[in-house]
Amino acid sequence: MAAPLAPQPPDPQFVLRGTQSAVNAVHFFGGTQAQGCPLLFSGSQSGLVHIWSLQTRRTVATLDGHGGQSVTWLQTLPQGPQLLSQGRDLQLCLWDLAEGRNTIMDSVHLESVGFCRSSILAEGQLHWMLAVPGKDSDEVQILEMPSKTSVCTLKPEADAKPGMPMCLRLWQANPGPRPLLLVGYEDGSVALWDISERKVCSRIACHGEPVMGLDFDSQKTRGISGSAGKALAVWSLDGQQALQVCHTHELTNPGIADVMIRPDRKILATAGWDHRIRIFHWRTMKPLAVLAFHSASVHCVAFAADGLLAAGSKDQRISIWSLYQRT
């Protein structure tokens, strides 16, 4: 008797077109029942940030603050309709989006021209911490915002030589007052920094190629990273702040540009250089779907609070997916 055919992966719920440039960053704002239909922000190679209504599936505004230089990272702030955009022009812009305003309130000049995306950690309603690539190629700078006060510079020990930081993830153990930073490095390692102590708590070799993206589940104290190579690495953090690799998952093709765990911690998505979005069960890492919609590298993935998935690609399109939704 023939084995049953595997179910065909679904089509996107819809597709957003009109960036006229490769899409390097996507980020949802809203999406909870209280906030209604979410907005989607996308950052393009041409330096523009597009704000999309997912009801009309059209842009509601375009932000031009990076002088035509590629936008690499987008993040909204928890205290209101404010957006951070990071560009290859070495500027990190803070936008005021309240009441229809689309103005730059402030900016941070970055010292590094690399591809490393920044990270934030909210500290109540008024203050937040910002991690950015530092002046020297192996450094990470920590700033207190919105004052832009330098907290510290995190520089690896002289004999470590991990290369450039490639991706950053600030987080805080709950309960716990100490901010921590996960860094994926050029040499394929992932390190955990204690910002208060300005020291590396733990470092593990995860990949043979640069780490291109990582995400962390602070409830399970478990994370995942993807690289320019063919493996996804799953790692955990014990009570003594020691990282250890749990297992690796071999992929068909090399190159993971981004990885994100859904807010409910049930599934995760990866953005592949091979044009594909891959969906995995987070607890077991069982492959669930390969979404072969895009015609060029997928650069970024993001989940909304309600579980909707967006993926941005070099093919200038943003695909929106509703997958394995919670019941």
mmCIF file of all heavy atoms in Angstrom, residues 32 38 47 57 92 94-95 113 118 130 147 168 193 195 208 211 242 268 274 278:
data_model
loop_
_atom_site.group_PDB
_atom_site.id
_atom_site.type_symbol
_atom_site.label_atom_id
_atom_site.label_comp_id
_atom_site.label_asym_id
_atom_site.label_seq_id
_atom_site.Cartn_x
_atom_site.Cartn_y
_atom_site.Cartn_z
ATOM 1 N N THR A 32 -2.486 42.455 18.997
ATOM 2 C CA THR A 32 -3.254 41.887 20.106
ATOM 3 C C THR A 32 -4.712 42.308 19.939
ATOM 4 O O THR A 32 -5.028 43.219 19.180
ATOM 5 C CB THR A 32 -2.728 42.384 21.463
ATOM 6 O OG1 THR A 32 -2.887 43.808 21.517
ATOM 7 C CG2 THR A 32 -1.269 42.049 21.657
ATOM 8 N N PRO A 38 -2.805 44.439 13.160
ATOM 9 C CA PRO A 38 -1.433 44.959 13.284
ATOM 10 C C PRO A 38 -0.994 45.734 12.053
ATOM 11 O O PRO A 38 -1.521 45.552 10.950
ATOM 12 C CB PRO A 38 -0.597 43.689 13.445
ATOM 13 C CG PRO A 38 -1.381 42.622 12.761
ATOM 14 C CD PRO A 38 -2.829 42.981 12.984
ATOM 15 N N GLY A 47 16.753 52.181 1.425
ATOM 16 C CA GLY A 47 16.806 53.108 2.548
ATOM 17 C C GLY A 47 15.460 53.556 3.071
ATOM 18 O O GLY A 47 15.394 54.358 4.007
ATOM 19 N N ARG A 57 -3.850 46.175 2.919
ATOM 20 C CA ARG A 57 -2.696 45.557 2.245
ATOM 21 C C ARG A 57 -1.946 46.563 1.377
ATOM 22 O O ARG A 57 -1.381 46.231 0.340
ATOM 23 C CB ARG A 57 -3.130 44.324 1.436
ATOM 24 C CG ARG A 57 -3.825 43.307 2.315
ATOM 25 C CD ARG A 57 -4.370 42.123 1.543
ATOM 26 N NE ARG A 57 -5.183 41.280 2.423
ATOM 27 C CZ ARG A 57 -5.817 40.188 2.040
ATOM 28 N NH1 ARG A 57 -5.736 39.783 0.787
ATOM 29 N NH2 ARG A 57 -6.540 39.480 2.892
ATOM 30 N N LEU A 92 21.019 55.275 13.564
ATOM 31 C CA LEU A 92 19.891 54.571 14.156
ATOM 32 C C LEU A 92 18.876 55.659 14.507
ATOM 33 O O LEU A 92 19.138 56.520 15.345
ATOM 34 C CB LEU A 92 20.322 53.799 15.400
ATOM 35 C CG LEU A 92 19.403 52.664 15.846
ATOM 36 C CD1 LEU A 92 20.193 51.580 16.545
ATOM 37 C CD2 LEU A 92 18.311 53.168 16.753
ATOM 38 N N LEU A 94 15.174 57.262 15.675
ATOM 39 C CA LEU A 94 14.000 57.066 16.518
ATOM 40 C C LEU A 94 12.883 57.924 15.951
ATOM 41 O O LEU A 94 12.981 59.155 15.915
ATOM 42 C CB LEU A 94 14.311 57.463 17.972
ATOM 43 C CG LEU A 94 13.132 57.417 18.958
ATOM 44 C CD1 LEU A 94 12.560 56.008 19.071
ATOM 45 C CD2 LEU A 94 13.564 57.937 20.322
ATOM 46 N N TRP A 95 11.811 57.255 15.494
ATOM 47 C CA TRP A 95 10.690 57.924 14.825
ATOM 48 C C TRP A 95 9.502 58.073 15.771
ATOM 49 O O TRP A 95 9.167 57.138 16.499
ATOM 50 C CB TRP A 95 10.236 57.114 13.616
ATOM 51 C CG TRP A 95 11.269 56.888 12.557
ATOM 52 C CD1 TRP A 95 12.224 55.911 12.529
ATOM 53 C CD2 TRP A 95 11.456 57.664 11.369
ATOM 54 N NE1 TRP A 95 12.988 56.017 11.389
ATOM 55 C CE2 TRP A 95 12.534 57.079 10.659
ATOM 56 C CE3 TRP A 95 10.807 58.781 10.830
ATOM 57 C CZ2 TRP A 95 12.975 57.587 9.438
ATOM 58 C CZ3 TRP A 95 11.251 59.288 9.609
ATOM 59 C CH2 TRP A 95 12.326 58.691 8.933
ATOM 60 N N VAL A 113 30.292 49.776 10.525
ATOM 61 C CA VAL A 113 29.639 49.677 9.221
ATOM 62 C C VAL A 113 29.180 48.245 8.919
ATOM 63 O O VAL A 113 28.668 47.956 7.865
ATOM 64 C CB VAL A 113 30.595 50.195 8.114
ATOM 65 C CG1 VAL A 113 31.664 49.163 7.777
ATOM 66 C CG2 VAL A 113 29.824 50.611 6.874
ATOM 67 N N SER A 118 20.985 45.720 15.840
ATOM 68 C CA SER A 118 20.981 46.132 17.240
ATOM 69 C C SER A 118 19.927 45.359 18.025
ATOM 70 O O SER A 118 19.215 44.509 17.482
ATOM 71 C CB SER A 118 20.724 47.635 17.328
ATOM 72 O OG SER A 118 21.739 48.345 16.643
ATOM 73 N N LEU A 130 19.999 49.827 24.961
ATOM 74 C CA LEU A 130 20.258 49.589 23.550
ATOM 75 C C LEU A 130 21.644 48.982 23.385
ATOM 76 O O LEU A 130 22.625 49.509 23.921
ATOM 77 C CB LEU A 130 20.166 50.919 22.785
ATOM 78 C CG LEU A 130 20.537 50.922 21.307
ATOM 79 C CD1 LEU A 130 19.519 50.147 20.481
ATOM 80 C CD2 LEU A 130 20.633 52.363 20.789
ATOM 81 N N SER A 147 18.589 58.830 26.947
ATOM 82 C CA SER A 147 19.650 59.806 27.226
ATOM 83 C C SER A 147 20.899 59.584 26.381
ATOM 84 O O SER A 147 21.751 60.462 26.276
ATOM 85 C CB SER A 147 20.032 59.750 28.709
ATOM 86 O OG SER A 147 20.662 58.511 29.009
ATOM 87 N N LEU A 168 22.736 40.382 17.928
ATOM 88 C CA LEU A 168 22.668 40.702 19.351
ATOM 89 C C LEU A 168 21.276 40.401 19.890
ATOM 90 O O LEU A 168 20.285 40.573 19.186
ATOM 91 C CB LEU A 168 22.963 42.196 19.580
ATOM 92 C CG LEU A 168 24.237 42.762 18.938
ATOM 93 C CD1 LEU A 168 24.289 44.272 19.118
ATOM 94 C CD2 LEU A 168 25.468 42.101 19.522
ATOM 95 N N TRP A 193 27.005 37.542 27.716
ATOM 96 C CA TRP A 193 27.668 38.593 28.485
ATOM 97 C C TRP A 193 26.804 39.004 29.669
ATOM 98 O O TRP A 193 25.589 39.179 29.527
ATOM 99 C CB TRP A 193 27.898 39.828 27.625
ATOM 100 C CG TRP A 193 28.986 39.709 26.601
ATOM 101 C CD1 TRP A 193 28.880 39.183 25.343
ATOM 102 C CD2 TRP A 193 30.338 40.161 26.725
ATOM 103 N NE1 TRP A 193 30.069 39.280 24.678
ATOM 104 C CE2 TRP A 193 30.988 39.883 25.502
ATOM 105 C CE3 TRP A 193 31.055 40.775 27.749
ATOM 106 C CZ2 TRP A 193 32.324 40.191 25.277
ATOM 107 C CZ3 TRP A 193 32.384 41.097 27.526
ATOM 108 C CH2 TRP A 193 33.011 40.807 26.308
ATOM 109 N N ILE A 195 26.200 42.175 31.544
ATOM 110 C CA ILE A 195 26.496 43.588 31.276
ATOM 111 C C ILE A 195 26.982 44.302 32.541
ATOM 112 O O ILE A 195 27.892 45.127 32.490
ATOM 113 C CB ILE A 195 25.257 44.273 30.663
ATOM 114 C CG1 ILE A 195 25.019 43.705 29.253
ATOM 115 C CG2 ILE A 195 25.426 45.788 30.598
ATOM 116 C CD1 ILE A 195 23.708 44.077 28.633
ATOM 117 N N GLY A 208 30.491 26.554 12.113
ATOM 118 C CA GLY A 208 31.778 26.729 11.453
ATOM 119 C C GLY A 208 31.824 27.972 10.604
ATOM 120 O O GLY A 208 32.861 28.313 10.038
ATOM 121 N N VAL A 211 27.645 33.478 12.541
ATOM 122 C CA VAL A 211 26.258 33.403 13.007
ATOM 123 C C VAL A 211 25.502 34.559 12.362
ATOM 124 O O VAL A 211 25.856 35.725 12.539
ATOM 125 C CB VAL A 211 26.177 33.511 14.547
ATOM 126 C CG1 VAL A 211 24.729 33.411 15.018
ATOM 127 C CG2 VAL A 211 27.025 32.433 15.208
ATOM 128 N N ALA A 242 25.785 28.980 32.180
ATOM 129 C CA ALA A 242 26.659 28.279 31.236
ATOM 130 C C ALA A 242 25.842 27.841 30.019
ATOM 131 O O ALA A 242 24.778 27.215 30.155
ATOM 132 C CB ALA A 242 27.296 27.063 31.899
ATOM 133 N N LEU A 268 8.936 27.896 15.138
ATOM 134 C CA LEU A 268 9.895 28.930 14.745
ATOM 135 C C LEU A 268 10.002 28.939 13.231
ATOM 136 O O LEU A 268 9.649 27.968 12.555
ATOM 137 C CB LEU A 268 11.258 28.699 15.397
ATOM 138 C CG LEU A 268 12.052 27.465 14.966
ATOM 139 C CD1 LEU A 268 13.079 27.818 13.888
ATOM 140 C CD2 LEU A 268 12.782 26.852 16.150
ATOM 141 N N ASP A 274 18.360 30.029 0.277
ATOM 142 C CA ASP A 274 17.875 29.179 -0.820
ATOM 143 C C ASP A 274 16.441 29.538 -1.231
ATOM 144 O O ASP A 274 15.762 28.732 -1.871
ATOM 145 C CB ASP A 274 17.963 27.694 -0.427
ATOM 146 C CG ASP A 274 17.058 27.342 0.747
ATOM 147 O OD1 ASP A 274 16.417 28.250 1.320
ATOM 148 O OD2 ASP A 274 16.981 26.143 1.094
ATOM 149 N N ARG A 278 11.523 28.068 6.350
ATOM 150 C CA ARG A 278 11.323 26.752 6.973
ATOM 151 C C ARG A 278 10.663 26.934 8.332
ATOM 152 O O ARG A 278 11.032 27.829 9.101
ATOM 153 C CB ARG A 278 12.653 26.006 7.112
ATOM 154 C CG ARG A 278 13.154 25.472 5.779
ATOM 155 C CD ARG A 278 14.486 24.744 5.900
ATOM 156 N NE ARG A 278 14.758 23.970 4.694
ATOM 157 C CZ ARG A 278 15.217 24.484 3.559
ATOM 158 N NH1 ARG A 278 15.474 25.774 3.476
ATOM 159 N NH2 ARG A 278 15.410 23.717 2.504
#
